[in-house]
Amino acid sequence: MAEQGGPEDQKPQSDEARSAFSQPAGVGRPAPPTEEDHPTSEFALPSGVAPEPAPGAGSASGSAPGSDTTASAFAPPRTYSAFDSPAAFTPAHGIPMIRLTKEAPWQDRMRTMLRMPVAERPAPEPVQKHDDVGPAVPRVLDLTLRIGELLLAGGEGAEDVEAAMFAVTRSYGLDRCEPTVTFTLLSISHQPSLVDDPVTASRTVRRRGTDYTRLAAVFRLIDDITTEEGEVSLEEAYRRLAEIRRNRHPYPGWVLTLAGGGLAGAASVLVGGGALVFMVAALGAMLGDRLAWLCAGRGLPEFYQFVAAAMPPAAMGVALTLTHWSDVRPSAVITGGLFALLPGRALVAGVQDGLTGYYITAAARLLEVMYFFIGIVAGVLLVLYGGLQLGAQLNPEERLITHDRPVIQILASMLLSLAFAILLQQERSTVLAVTLNGGVAWVIYGAMARTGHISPVAATAVAAGLVGLFGQLFSRYRYTSSLPFITAAIGPLLPGSATYFGLLGIAQNELDRGLASLSTAVATAGAIAIGVNLGSEISRLFMRVPGAVGGANRRAAKRTRGF
């Protein structure tokens, strides 16, 4: 290489200062070739350039200190050592694989892999056997979508639905699958190899229904598919799925109507009602339930069903006010009827989807909750306006009256959770656990809000957190969904009284008082949803997945930190 000049000569000139065809500075013109010269290969090194030494050659790998020559731009620096620096490519021994043992529940294993980058997911180990040709990809994807449809229609969270779909595809040996869940649409994409076109299938959720018995049966099917003890072929999985779809509800219609009445009556006792209030509130709720069924049979949307169901309890309360019964609290009757209508299940699912990063699904669920709430508001306000025109004296100051009857209220909270569990079509084996869970929730709330004089919103959040924690523990013990152990247990914590007094303030043209009560109701509902989700996350935080390497067993759904 030719000698270099001073530092200013080593600085490269800009493209504008020289031509692309001009001879570089410091390089002489080569002599014209002669006949005796041999043709040179285009891969040969130019004259004056020494070949780079092999790695590990010691001090010969770079220029000696104090040397005036400048190394090539592609040569490693003098301080570089191939033995001390990290590998730029995949090492010969490979990347350490994240192992997830089969002893962990499939929900944890699939949720862990969903939160991993695609390049770090371990290869699937097919659990279900198939012939040499391999699994029928379209049929596996169709089965996965049908299972996801039942889970999403039953109220399961978007992340749990994606985990279930991911578990099914991996159990049948399909790698590079990506499920996607929104409020009404499920899709899954499978790429056979890096050079093949992906196969994508989708399915739309048309109808939703609350049947936790069906939800538990789907979870049992997924558990059988993901375990090696039982072989479940595609045909067997389709047969069991068809049986789950045809399965009748465990409770007949008249039992559901009685459960709705019992829920409203128990809620009225929680807010200070007696035996007569219990009977009147139960009667109003049962009339509202039958009226809602009549609207559903005529094909009216759910919004109008909620409007119709909210009117009979409110009408019963106004009628008691007009009759001037001194020992009956109309506010307790109306509040009990509202407890049976508040969409606590959809609220918890919506907030859970938002906290786990599924914002589109969360927004759709919360919008559905808002429509249901507006329907309840419309039905109650229509009746309250009519009662005020007839001269009903509804007293908003009744909410200041406290009734400390701990034993009766604990029993009422357990009855409320029991009735709520029946309305959700839960399995009979789970009713006792959720009833006890609801009683514990009310004990915690009463001890903090009534005895400790702590903010009711904070007390509600703590009680809901314990509900979520216990519900998650119950679900791990039974290897099923946590919803049957959580949804009914939060029934005693729903903001029925705050909702009623907010609507009463609006009906009496006291907007400040009404909006303040409605704001309390919204804050209480948010505390319930966040508390339930936090309790579930705490249970997963301490129950670590065995076999995971380096803390990779619990990755956040969103990997940013505010930017």
Side-chain angles (χ1 to χ4, degrees), residues 145 149 152 183-187 202-207:
L145 289 173
E149 178 191 8
L152 187 61
F183 184 59
T184 58
L185 181 65
L186 300 97
S187 63
S202 62
R203 194 172 182 87
T204 303
V205 178
R206 301 292 183 185
R207 298 183 59 185

Side-chain angles (χ1 to χ4, degrees), residues 395-416:
N395 184 15
E397 301 298 329
E398 286 181 340
R399 57 180 166 178
L400 302 178
I401 303 176
T402 58
H403 296 268
D404 292 329
R405 301 176 297 176
V407 177
I408 295 178
Q409 289 182 336
I410 291 173
L411 294 177
S413 66
M414 296 176 66
L415 176 60
L416 192 153

Side-chain angles (χ1 to χ4, degrees), residues 272-541:
L276 182 58
V277 171
F278 179 94
M279 298 299 296
V280 175
L283 179 60
M286 288 189 289
L287 290 177
D289 178 76
R290 289 294 91 189
L291 188 58
W293 276 103
L294 180 63
C295 295
R298 295 296 184 270
L300 291 178
E302 283 186 298
F303 175 84
Y304 301 104
Q305 298 176 28
F306 272 82
V307 172
M311 295 176 70
M316 298 291 288
V318 171
L320 290 177
T321 303
L322 294 175
T323 56
H324 302 288
W325 284 15
S326 59
D327 56 343
V328 176
R329 295 181 60 194
S331 61
V333 174
I334 301 176
T335 300
L338 292 178
F339 264 87
L341 297 177
L342 292 177
R345 174 182 58 87
L347 174 67
V348 171
V351 174
Q352 180 180 359
D353 288 340
L355 294 176
T356 52
Y358 295 84
Y359 301 116
I360 297 178
T361 307
R365 288 185 188 272
L366 294 179
L367 183 62
E368 181 187 41
V369 171
M370 186 188 71
Y371 272 108
F372 291 163
F373 189 76
I374 292 176
I376 297 172
V377 168
V380 174
L381 282 181
L382 286 175
V383 177
L384 292 181
Y385 277 127
L388 292 176
Q389 296 300 321
L390 295 175
Q393 300 295 325
L394 298 171
N395 184 15
E397 301 298 329
E398 286 181 340
R399 57 180 166 178
L400 302 178
I401 303 176
T402 58
H403 296 268
D404 292 329
R405 301 176 297 176
V407 177
I408 295 178
Q409 289 182 336
I410 291 173
L411 294 177
S413 66
M414 296 176 66
L415 176 60
L416 192 153
S417 299
L418 173 63
F420 205 171
I422 295 176
L423 287 175
L424 294 173
Q425 302 281 358
Q426 292 190 195
E427 292 181 309
R428 294 180 174 87
S429 59
T430 64
V431 170
L432 178 60
V434 74
T435 302
L436 296 176
N437 203 8
V440 170
W442 183 257
V443 168
I444 299 299
Y445 171 79
M448 296 181 64
R450 302 287 178 86
T451 305
H453 301 288
I454 300 176
S455 170
V457 176
T460 301
V462 174
L466 290 177
V467 167
L469 177 62
F470 293 153
Q472 198 66 233
L473 293 176
F474 282 131
S475 68
R476 298 302 179 90
Y477 175 74
R478 297 177 61 91
Y479 289 93
T480 184
S481 173
S482 61
L483 287 181
F485 302 98
I486 292 177
T487 306
I490 64 173
L493 305 176
L494 293 175
S497 58
T499 303
Y500 163 68
F501 287 111
L503 299 180
L504 180 59
I506 295 175
Q508 293 181 341
N509 202 20
E510 298 177 359
L511 295 181
D512 294 339
R513 176 179 295 173
L515 293 178
S517 294
L518 289 180
S519 300
T520 303
V522 172
T524 304
I528 292 174
I530 295 176
V532 167
N533 181 262
L534 183 60
S536 301
E537 294 296 325
I538 289 176
S539 66
R540 297 192 189 110
L541 181 65

Side-chain angles (χ1 to χ4, degrees), residues 32-110:
T34 61
E35 295 179 357
E36 299 176 356
D37 294 335
H38 297 284
T40 304
S41 172
E42 56 180 319
F43 299 101
L45 291 174
S47 176
V49 178
E52 297 180 5
S59 60
S61 61
S63 302
S67 176
D68 294 336
T69 60
T70 303
S72 171
F74 299 98
R78 293 191 301 270
T79 59
Y80 174 81
S81 175
F83 296 97
D84 299 333
S85 63
F89 302 99
T90 304
H93 54 78
I95 299 176
M97 184 179 65
I98 298 177
R99 297 179 178 87
L100 297 174
T101 60
K102 302 293 181 59
E103 289 78 12
W106 63 265
Q107 296 97 319
D108 287 339
R109 290 186 280 118
M110 296 304 110

